[in-house]
Amino acid sequence: MEYISAFIVGGLICVVAQILMDTTKLTPARILVAFVTIGAILGGFGWYDKLVEIGGAGATIPLPSFGNSLAKAAIEGVEKDGLLGAFTGGITGAAGGITAAIFFGYLMAIIFNPKTKQ
């Protein structure tokens, strides 16, 4: 049952993104930013954790989860370090994901021949 709920939750997130790309003039980059922002807002209110309970990996892998991680880490940073923690907490909490994205993006650029769209 966990696999089915993960598939449904993750699939619904992807379907929403695909509908936005097909029916609006939003670019994929703007949709990415919107999903991270929505995840941060839902995480800030504690609502994204409920989605993770239902969807498991289907909710922890897509982009809104990154926003949720940033929000949770920023909240913890504020509790620990005060106002300065609002700025440092999010980066500290998401450092692993940011580092992996940079590393694997660089690795793929070395392996493959990236070209700009024309």
Side-chain angles (χ1 to χ4, degrees), residues 6-7 42 68 86:
F7 178 78
L42 293 177
N68 178 43

Side-chain angles (χ1 to χ4, degrees), residues 27-37 63:
T27 63
R30 288 179 188 239
I31 294 170
L32 178 146
V33 170
F35 272 40
V36 171
T37 304
L63 286 170

Side-chain angles (χ1 to χ4, degrees), residues 11-63:
L12 286 173
I13 292 171
C14 294
V15 164
V16 169
Q18 190 64 50
I19 289 171
L20 287 172
M21 284 194 294
D22 291 345
T23 61
T24 67
K25 293 184 178 187
L26 291 173
T27 63
R30 288 179 188 239
I31 294 170
L32 178 146
V33 170
F35 272 40
V36 171
T37 304
I38 290 167
I41 292 168
L42 293 177
F45 286 113
W47 298 337
Y48 200 82
D49 292 334
K50 293 178 185 5
L51 186 62
V52 170
E53 288 176 16
I54 296 167
T60 58
I61 293 175
L63 286 170

Side-chain angles (χ1 to χ4, degrees), residues 74-89:
I75 291 169
E76 289 173 11
V78 168
E79 291 171 355
K80 181 181 172 195
D81 299 324
L83 183 59
L84 183 61
F87 301 103
T88 61

